Amino acid sequence: MEKILKYKSKIYIDRDDSNTIKGFLILLIVLGHNHLLAPVHSMLFDYLYSFHLVCFFILPCFYNKKIFLSSDGIRKLSKRLLVPYIMFFFICMVASMIVIKGQHLDFFQIVKGFIIGSPYTLRKSVGFIFLWFLPSFFSFSILRLVGSRYKKVNYILIFISIFCLFPSVIIEEYLKNILPLGFMFAIKFYWIGWICFRLFPYINELKYIWTILFIGISLLVCIGNQRIVILRLVPLFAFPVIVFLLPVLRLLPLKWLGKYSLEVYLLHVFILSVLQRIFPQNIFGGIVEYVVALFVSYMIVKLIYKIKLNLILFPK
């Protein structure tokens, strides 16, 4: 834990460790999107989806830098998150038009899908659901800016977020599909980052207890106890355990993958879609697809940066 820095009695994570964690999470995300290795609604699929992307929402809570609610701060967030969202929404729309030859595309559904940005509305509009992360993370980042500026508002947001643990799936899905820019995801994940951050000053004392709790809740999920509240608690235990594993994860070349985590995330889905038409649809084919998708996605990202296309697709 020597690279996890104490600052004003809180704990922060430096850039290298942040990229290492992102790299590890990207491995899990690509695995979750490989439906030969993690079939839809299988135990592994549901388990991975309960925490791998949520941990990306938790991680920024541990960055040792000041954030400000200002027009400049919102402009930077829009540039980093909404510009890729717009670009890849258009790419997904064109891909869908090519596949279905323009049939069943509805202008209203496209506009609704873009504004709401939920998995369901995105599937209905452009045929791809992975884009939900970008508008949701943008809304989450705005909430963090507001919460860091106004303490009372922060506590209200935490209360609302904790309350979101308990609504039924039907109510949650309804709210996901009417609130703009993935706001339901943003508010749902808000409390987890806050709780993890508050507990981390006691990380050494809690290390073994937290690991045992993580194993316990993982076993509950794996044996079929997939009640919605239990699934929503998994990231609260998963993220600290990933941090506990940092001494091991640092030995792997994960930070180089994590440095381009967003870019790999946005590209690997297309690569997997192509590979599924090439390799045999069995476990062996799934393993090959997994490795090739990661490698090809990373190499395409490097090419994008080399020819400066990142200035359009991934502006900083």
Side-chain angles (χ1 to χ4, degrees):
M1 297 293 168
E2 65 275 9
K3 293 185 72 178
I4 299 178
L5 310 175
K6 272 204 170 185
Y7 176 74
K8 292 184 180 178
S9 69
K10 301 289 192 301
I11 290 185
Y12 294 85
I13 297 175
D14 69 17
R15 177 170 294 184
D16 282 349
D17 278 348
S18 172
N19 285 334
T20 298
I21 292 171
K22 289 178 182 178
F24 178 67
L25 292 173
I26 280 294
L27 294 181
L28 299 182
I29 288 169
V30 177
L31 175 60
H33 286 165
N34 186 319
H35 299 321
L36 293 175
L37 301 181
V40 177
H41 298 312
S42 66
M43 179 194 70
L44 179 59
F45 178 90
D46 290 337
Y47 181 64
L48 290 173
Y49 270 73
S50 70
F51 73 90
H52 59 17
L53 268 171
V54 183
C55 287
F56 272 99
F57 289 81
I58 299 173
L59 189 56
C61 300
F62 295 87
Y63 291 164
N64 184 11
K65 61 181 180 180
K66 295 181 179 179
I67 55 175
F68 299 99
L69 179 62
S70 63
S71 58
D72 185 59
I74 295 174
R75 181 185 63 81
K76 288 180 179 178
L77 283 174
S78 301
K79 193 175 180 182
R80 296 191 62 165
L81 295 170
L82 294 187
V83 170
Y85 179 53
I86 293 170
M87 299 300 296
F88 276 83
F89 187 91
F90 178 75
I91 291 170
C92 289
M93 184 172 64
V94 171
S96 290
M97 291 178 68
I98 293 173
V99 172
I100 66 175
K101 297 180 172 57
Q103 300 174 17
H104 310 304
L105 284 180
D106 181 88
F107 178 76
F108 173 76
Q109 288 289 353
I110 291 173
V111 173
K112 181 181 178 182
F114 178 80
I115 293 174
I116 302 300
S118 70
Y120 175 79
T121 59
L122 286 168
R123 181 190 285 116
K124 294 283 287 185
S125 58
V126 294
F128 292 87
I129 68 174
F130 69 97
L131 293 176
W132 73 266
F133 174 78
L134 289 168
S136 299
F137 197 76
F138 174 79
S139 295
F140 177 81
S141 300
I142 295 296
L143 290 181
R144 286 190 62 237
L145 289 177
V146 174
S148 66
R149 177 76 175 270
Y150 304 105
K151 183 175 288 188
K152 291 183 179 178
V153 174
N154 184 50
Y155 291 133
I156 293 173
L157 290 173
I158 292 168
F159 174 79
I160 296 173
S161 183
I162 293 174
F163 182 76
C164 288
L165 276 170
F166 304 105
S168 68
V169 174
I170 295 175
I171 294 175
E172 181 180 323
E173 286 299 313
Y174 174 76
L175 293 174
K176 282 180 186 176
N177 296 318
I178 63 169
L179 297 177
L181 293 177
F183 184 82
M184 185 61 192
F185 285 106
I187 192 66
K188 187 172 76 167
F189 301 149
Y190 191 86
W191 75 276
I192 303 176
W194 184 84
I195 291 290
C196 283
F197 185 69
R198 293 295 173 180
L199 289 174
F200 258 54
Y202 315 101
I203 190 170
N204 290 325
E205 293 86 349
L206 293 173
K207 178 161 50 173
Y208 298 110
I209 295 175
W210 221 245
T211 302
I212 292 170
L213 290 173
F214 172 69
I215 293 172
I217 199 167
S218 298
L219 288 174
L220 283 176
V221 174
C222 291
I223 64 176
N225 192 337
Q226 296 185 4
R227 295 177 185 174
I228 195 69
V229 173
I230 291 178
L231 287 173
R232 289 168 180 170
L233 288 175
V234 173
L236 178 63
F237 299 98
F239 184 81
V241 171
I242 292 172
V243 174
F244 300 154
L245 292 174
L246 271 173
V248 176
L249 297 179
R250 291 188 195 115
L251 301 175
L252 305 173
L254 292 173
K255 71 177 182 180
W256 307 111
L257 180 62
K259 182 179 179 181
Y260 302 109
S261 57
L262 177 60
E263 294 88 336
V264 172
Y265 173 77
L266 291 172
L267 290 170
H268 83 276
V269 174
F270 300 104
I271 306 302
L272 277 176
S273 297
V274 173
L275 294 177
Q276 287 171 2
R277 300 173 182 270
I278 299 174
F279 293 104
Q281 298 300 288
N282 53 38
I283 295 296
F284 176 76
I287 294 172
V288 175
E289 286 179 17
Y290 178 73
V291 175
V292 173
L294 282 167
F295 177 76
V296 173
S297 298
Y298 183 80
M299 296 309 296
I300 291 176
V301 171
K302 297 295 287 186
L303 177 62
I304 287 173
Y305 274 79
K306 185 174 183 178
I307 63 177
K308 307 297 184 183
L309 189 57
N310 59 294
L311 299 176
I312 298 174
L313 293 176
F314 310 110
K316 301 297 183 181

